[in-house]
Amino acid sequence: MRWQGRRNNLERRLRRGLLIMTIVVIGLLLIRDRSTVAQQADAQDEQCIRCHVEIYNDALRQQVIHPPVFERQCSICHRAGDAEWSAQSESLPQTGLLVDQQPLWRKRQSFAGDISGYDHLVTLAGLQPSALYRFRLQLGEQPGEPFAASSWLGLRLAELTEYPEMLVTDGLSGVVGANIAALKIQLVSADTAVVSWQTAQPYYSWLELELLEEAEVIEASAEDGQQTHPPLRSPEEQAITVCYQCHSEADLGTSHPVRLYSGRDVRIPETLPTVEGMLTCVTCHDPHGGPGEMLVRTQIKTQLCVTCHYKYKNSSPSTMFRD
């Protein structure tokens, strides 16, 4: 009897141990799955920022930054449901399109323009025809001292064999875009291309070139109608519904109503964003970052109010603003 009791006690301990091990294994699997999903979401968010780097950088310069933007979580507000990036084809063209904008540990070559002034030309020789490179244009008042740069753009000489000349306008914004309307890429030989451009002011300029790995490519176009960008929420969802996910109407208390339109005494100016004329949360609050508290688009809230409620402008000291 004593031996039988010990045996039963041992069996209970074994069953208990197996149960605990099973729970631990299931917990580890759940943690791994959640970690994998989180890593996939992070990778997709990084792709968003690489293509929309100028929007992201502008948000970081604001006085108040929306936490999801600061935490680089674009998909929370923009991506529809569980939509993911579709498989990307290596055959899609890359030349002249936005590619990876992040700093890379790559050997960087610099090619100075042959002419300083308004007309500029750079010869890129000795390139691998099928390799993918990225390049960017830099402007400076002195050689080697840039004050502005374009976004990184793709370059693969093999893509230029059928059409050996291409005009490029992507990635030219800000100071660079104000001075350069377009870049022209010409294929001279299998391993050589010439890039030329004109500047509105007599600046020095040059190109920087880096070799890219295929895994670092951001597809910026589609082939045969295949979509490479994940589906996004509708404009109304992004401008109203998504806001209520974190800022419930109950927590907001008294708040300005949305889904309204311009009327007899109210005029929503074109300078404020709407969804086909409909007022949304984003009309008054910048979803990325703004100068005022609560992401309000103006530091003084009443200045924003009288932008639409124009009849009350200059009706009191708090509503007197210069146009």
Side-chain angles (χ1 to χ4, degrees):
M1 292 294 292
R2 182 179 299 175
W3 179 84
Q4 184 67 32
R6 290 179 178 177
R7 181 179 178 180
N8 293 337
N9 188 34
L10 179 61
E11 289 178 351
R12 284 195 298 269
R13 290 182 178 180
L14 287 174
R15 286 195 297 268
R16 187 182 304 163
L18 288 174
L19 177 61
I20 293 174
M21 288 181 62
T22 301
I23 294 173
V24 170
V25 170
I26 293 175
L28 291 175
L29 290 175
L30 290 174
I31 292 173
R32 186 194 67 177
D33 291 342
R34 290 182 180 179
S35 177
T36 301
V37 171
Q39 290 175 358
Q40 292 174 346
D42 290 343
Q44 292 171 4
D45 290 334
E46 290 301 317
Q47 287 180 327
C48 298
I49 294 171
R50 287 170 183 168
C51 284
H52 305 285
V53 63
E54 294 174 3
I55 295 176
Y56 180 72
N57 288 338
D58 180 67
L60 295 184
R61 288 190 288 265
Q62 299 301 320
Q63 185 73 21
V64 181
I65 304 173
H66 199 199
V69 176
F70 184 78
E71 296 168 3
R72 306 168 77 92
Q73 297 178 342
C74 310
S75 57
I76 289 180
C77 300
H78 293 283
R79 192 158 50 93
D82 297 326
E84 297 181 357
W85 293 85
S86 60
Q88 298 173 349
S89 169
E90 294 184 2
S91 64
L92 294 178
Q94 297 298 323
T95 300
L97 301 177
L98 292 170
V99 291
D100 196 333
Q101 302 296 313
Q102 299 298 315
L104 301 175
W105 290 101
R106 296 286 184 274
K107 179 181 178 181
R108 182 176 299 179
Q109 298 175 274
S110 183
F111 297 83
D114 293 339
I115 305 171
S116 62
Y118 297 93
D119 299 306
H120 307 264
L121 182 144
V122 166
T123 300
L124 306 176
L127 304 184
Q128 303 174 41
S130 60
L132 178 63
Y133 297 85
R134 72 175 188 175
F135 72 93
R136 68 177 179 180
L137 170 67
Q138 291 190 318
L139 296 178
E141 295 180 347
Q142 298 294 329
E145 298 180 7
F147 66 82
S150 70
S151 299
W152 288 102
L153 301 172
L155 175 64
R156 181 182 280 137
L157 298 190
E159 297 174 358
L160 299 172
T161 53
E162 186 174 356
Y163 301 100
E165 185 173 307
M166 173 185 290
L167 284 178
V168 177
T169 58
D170 282 0
L172 305 178
S173 60
V175 176
V176 175
N179 284 275
I180 300 173
L183 301 174
K184 182 162 69 173
I185 305 176
Q186 293 175 290
L187 183 66
V188 177
S189 64
D191 66 348
T192 303
V194 170
V195 183
S196 58
W197 61 93
Q198 292 182 325
T199 55
Q201 300 294 329
Y203 291 127
Y204 288 92
S205 58
W206 54 96
L207 288 184
E208 290 188 326
L209 184 75
E210 292 181 344
L211 180 64
L212 273 183
E213 301 291 339
E214 291 295 339
E216 296 162 343
V217 176
I218 299 299
E219 303 292 0
S221 61
E223 184 177 56
D224 298 330
Q226 180 185 6
Q227 188 175 22
T228 59
H229 196 290
L232 300 177
R233 299 175 186 267
S234 69
E236 183 174 345
E237 286 181 306
Q238 293 186 58
I240 299 178
T241 309
V242 167
C243 303
Y244 288 144
Q245 289 181 171
C246 297
H247 312 284
S248 67
E249 295 184 73
D251 293 335
L252 289 175
T254 303
S255 181
H256 195 289
V258 293
R259 296 186 175 89
L260 302 176
Y261 294 85
S262 296
R264 180 178 178 181
D265 297 327
V266 178
R267 180 179 62 242
I268 305 175
E270 294 182 357
T271 54
L272 293 177
T274 63
V275 176
E276 297 182 355
M278 180 179 69
L279 184 141
T280 70
C281 306
V282 172
T283 303
C284 301
H285 304 269
D286 193 309
H288 297 136
E293 295 182 3
M294 306 301 293
L295 304 174
V296 175
R297 294 185 178 274
T298 59
Q299 288 184 320
I300 305 174
K301 295 181 181 179
T302 52
Q303 184 176 9
L304 182 62
C305 297
V306 297
T307 301
C308 297
H309 301 276
Y310 60 94
K311 292 184 65 176
Y312 294 95
K313 187 175 182 180
N314 298 325
S315 63
S316 66
S318 63
T319 60
M320 294 180 181
F321 305 99
R322 293 182 179 180
D323 294 330

